Amino acid sequence: MVQNLSEIVNSLMDYGAVQSGQYTLDRRPVSLRDFATDCIERIRPECDQKAIHLYVDEPEDDVELFIDAQALSVCVGNLLSNAVKFSHHEGAVLLEFSVDEAGLLTVLVADKGVGIEPEWLDRVMQPFAKEADVYDGAFGGIGMGLPLARALANLQGGRIDLDSCLDEGTNVRIVIPAASVEVPPQISHANVVAFPNR
């Protein structure tokens, strides 16, 4: 409970800082493999609580990124938490990383959970548009996960793409300029792990 309250306060403070122009990015060289491992370790306890199968797809060769790792970690963490929260017990979540030749990093978080009504796709990207309003309070939350993720992605010169279908699941992509070195052409979807019914 204390941890949840702390996360809510941090989310509100981060969102306020971004909106007021007071959030300062701290871009540094980061290993994509290390970043991916950190994301996996952070979400693992939530996956275990619901027996969620986490599938990970990342480049076969490591890539050095030039990013604000903390800001991007918040983005990815929020998307993963949503994916787990809205997945069914013993469901599946996919976390996929790829970097193209232009140095654009794409992080895909996909689930086969409850999905979102088409008319809600724009609304859930707005602050305090609680998903619980759609699902009769079954999932909770204050409606800041996606808005904060989008704000932080935009701050880094990127974007978030949301695609969802009710009762079929949700795909969310973070796309940001991130590579600090030339990326070999073969790096992109190099280590594919099957995701059920994708």
Side-chain angles (χ1 to χ4, degrees), residues 43-194:
I43 197 61
R44 184 69 69 186
E46 294 181 44
C47 290
D48 291 344
Q49 287 179 4
K50 294 184 66 176
I52 297 293
H53 302 279
L54 179 63
Y55 295 84
V56 180
D57 174 6
E58 60 184 290
E60 189 172 81
D61 298 319
D62 198 6
V63 180
E64 183 182 72
L65 307 176
F66 190 67
I67 59 173
D68 184 322
Q70 174 61 28
L72 185 57
S73 179
V74 171
C75 294
V76 177
N78 285 358
L79 301 188
L80 284 170
S81 289
N82 277 354
V84 172
K85 179 166 65 175
F86 294 108
S87 288
H88 305 292
H89 185 74
E90 296 186 346
V93 170
L94 171 68
L95 173 61
E96 178 183 274
F97 297 89
S98 62
V99 182
D100 67 14
E101 295 178 48
L104 282 178
L105 168 67
T106 298
V107 184
L108 167 67
V109 176
D111 66 70
K112 296 295 178 182
V114 297
I116 304 171
E117 292 272 13
E119 59 267 29
W120 268 81
L121 290 178
D122 289 332
R123 185 174 174 185
V124 296
M125 300 299 290
Q126 303 302 318
F128 308 114
K130 293 172 62 178
E131 295 91 336
D133 293 342
V134 194
Y135 304 113
D136 299 322
F139 297 97
I142 65 167
M144 285 302 299
L146 283 172
L148 177 57
R150 182 171 70 170
L152 288 172
N154 291 346
L155 187 64
Q156 297 174 83
R159 69 179 193 274
I160 282 188
D161 300 326
L162 173 64
D163 179 35
S164 186
C165 186
L166 191 64
D167 298 325
E168 294 186 12
T170 300
N171 291 355
V172 190
R173 286 179 175 82
I174 304 170
V175 183
I176 65 169
S180 61
V181 295
E182 183 177 351
V183 180
Q186 71 269 20
I187 293 187
S188 183
H189 307 282
N191 184 24
V192 178
V193 178

Side-chain angles (χ1 to χ4, degrees), residues 12-69:
L12 293 172
M13 292 180 63
D14 285 346
Y15 188 80
V18 173
Q19 294 303 105
S20 63
Q22 297 180 356
Y23 193 106
T24 302
L25 292 174
D26 182 18
R27 291 189 174 95
R28 300 183 184 188
V30 177
S31 158
L32 173 56
R33 183 161 297 155
D34 289 346
F35 180 81
T37 298
D38 182 67
C39 291
I40 295 165
E41 291 177 350
R42 287 174 182 268
I43 197 61
R44 184 69 69 186
E46 294 181 44
C47 290
D48 291 344
Q49 287 179 4
K50 294 184 66 176
I52 297 293
H53 302 279
L54 179 63
Y55 295 84
V56 180
D57 174 6
E58 60 184 290
E60 189 172 81
D61 298 319
D62 198 6
V63 180
E64 183 182 72
L65 307 176
F66 190 67
I67 59 173
D68 184 322

